[in-house]
Amino acid sequence: MTTIKLINVTKIYDRDTVALNSINLEIKGGELCVVLGPSGAGKSTLLRIIAGLEHPTEGRVYFDNTDVTDTSPQERDIAMIFQHFTLYPHMTVYQNLAFSLKVRKYPKPYIDTKVREVASYLGIAHLLRRRPRSLSGGEAQRVAIGKAIIRDPRVFLLDEPLANIDLPRKEEIKHLILKLHREKRYTMVYVTHNQDEGMSVAERLVIIKDGEIQQIGTPMDVYNVPANLFVAEFIGRPKINLFSGHLRGNVFEAHRLRWVLPQEYPSCEAIIGVRPEDIKVVSGGDWNVEDVEYEGRDVLLHLTNGQHTLRVRSTATRSYKVGDRLGVINKISKYAIFSPNTGKLIAVYPKVQ
Ligand code: ADP
Ligand code: MG
């Protein structure tokens, strides 16, 4: 199990595109680490630098205690899969799987055993004679995974592995990747821009934006204790409610909005964040229902009082319709407070250990 370490890694393309800015990151041996961020954040660049496909402009990359910065991908013993399945179109599935062992001149019987073993593990044994063109997205990604793991790499890198797979197959491939991680204990770095996907697979998340790490933590950490406004808004659907106003004692006031908090704070200008499920509504009041989305057990309500809008997640124990009038309970017991100047977290309630 290989530990990956990035020390002050910076990547600048074309003299002035800073794709990564001084990244420091340690991914532990056997860990499944998800790199999550919007498009253009630098995720693929980070993965390509770990793979050895890009050279950092500055900084070093270590596998365990060996500096691998100047070594080739082959020497690093990594496997990588991409969102575009990188299969050789003119070869059968069997030949695709066998390819990396064949170029390394392994004996034929060994290759044959390995190919069949991997194909049966991944549920693609019935596809061995087919060509990539005739495979569905899910099948092609299974073959790409097979191609990647057939050599038992030290490090397994995945760049948006579910992006081109039909919705019903996405869950299946996701669980296959989780099973691989559980059973083979590869050190895995999984890149995605999809927060639901990232949250659901990660042991630890690295959230990046504009080439900089915003927060590193478990899915629970980043949801409950977001380090800044960007993370607070990026994680969680529907989005966290944010209000700009003034904090005085245990009251937060924004124009025509008043939240009563369970704790006192020093007076300051602040931004308060309240997740949709932490807002309680009652029948009758000055909020107008603008939108209703049923989600099975829950209902998502979009409310407005003319000044502010509110996203509320409630259990669907009664029916709501557009135009209903609701009251919002102004006592809240779960929230986060941010600095309006830096956007950084000042406090959360309740405190999380
Ligand atoms: P992500 O994978 O998070 O969408 P990338 O790592 O692909 O982000 O890109 C980060 C930034 O670097 C973007 O601004 C992108 O345009 C730029 N970039 C990526 N690859 C290259 C390249 N080969 N040449 C020039 N700019 C690049
Ligand atoms: Mg990318």
Side-chain angles (χ1 to χ4, degrees), residues 15-42:
R15 291 223 197 101
D16 57 0
T17 307
V18 183
L20 293 175
N21 187 9
S22 203
I23 298 286
N24 286 291
L25 177 62
E26 180 172 332
I27 298 159
K28 296 186 196 76
E31 182 181 12
L32 200 179
C33 176
V34 168
V35 178
L36 177 64
S39 168

Side-chain angles (χ1 to χ4, degrees), residues 188-206:
M188 285 168 106
V189 190
Y190 184 124
V191 160
T192 178
H193 69 279
N194 181 314
Q195 63 103 20
D196 291 324
E197 187 182 324
M199 291 283 275
S200 71
V201 302
E203 290 184 314
R204 215 157 56 109
L205 287 157
V206 177

Side-chain angles (χ1 to χ4, degrees), residues 60-105:
R60 311 302 298 176
V61 180
Y62 291 84
F63 279 12
D64 293 328
N65 291 318
T66 313
D67 186 335
V68 297
T69 318
D70 302 317
T71 61
S72 69
Q74 289 74 22
E75 287 169 278
R76 293 188 196 193
D77 197 10
I78 54 107
M80 187 154 174
I81 61 167
F82 303 88
Q83 83 182 66
H84 302 286
F85 323 116
T86 42
L87 302 177
Y88 300 112
H90 57 287
M91 292 184 191
T92 62
V93 167
Y94 185 104
Q95 289 165 330
N96 266 284
L97 291 173
F99 185 78
S100 68
L101 300 177
K102 202 169 159 206
V103 294
R104 283 173 181 76
K105 305 206 169 9

Side-chain angles (χ1 to χ4, degrees), residues 38-58:
S39 168
K43 305 179 298 294
S44 294
T45 302
L46 183 72
L47 213 60
R48 292 171 63 80
I49 284 175
I50 295 173
L53 295 165
E54 296 283 354
H55 196 267
T57 313
E58 276 170 45

Side-chain angles (χ1 to χ4, degrees), residues 199-319:
M199 291 283 275
S200 71
V201 302
E203 290 184 314
R204 215 157 56 109
L205 287 157
V206 177
I207 300 180
I208 68 170
K209 183 188 76 141
D210 297 338
E212 293 187 0
I213 294 181
Q214 305 293 309
Q215 186 167 7
I216 301 179
T218 63
M220 257 179 74
D221 291 336
V222 300
Y223 190 77
N224 292 316
V225 194
N228 57 38
L229 287 170
F230 170 77
V231 175
E233 286 206 274
F234 191 61
I235 300 292
R237 291 285 172 271
K239 267 194 197 170
I240 194 167
N241 297 285
L242 294 174
F243 306 97
S244 238
H246 198 94
L247 196 53
R248 209 175 277 116
N250 71 332
V251 173
F252 178 91
E253 255 175 319
H255 192 69
R256 282 186 68 195
L257 188 76
R258 203 177 130 87
W259 296 116
V260 179
L261 314 177
Q263 184 179 317
E264 308 230 330
Y265 296 91
S267 292
C268 64
E269 297 298 313
I271 294 173
I272 197 164
V274 192
R275 297 245 175 236
E277 64 272 24
D278 298 322
I279 293 176
K280 301 281 170 279
V281 290
V282 290
S283 307
D286 7 318
W287 292 82
N288 188 46
V289 176
E290 290 219 305
D291 249 317
V292 181
E293 292 174 58
Y294 282 97
E295 252 196 4
R297 192 187 70 108
D298 288 352
V299 57
L300 310 178
L301 303 171
H302 296 254
L303 310 180
T304 178
N305 68 351
Q307 205 79 46
H308 301 281
T309 60
L310 265 185
R311 290 175 286 277
V312 177
R313 178 188 288 278
S314 179
T315 32
T317 45
R318 53 158 279 195
S319 68

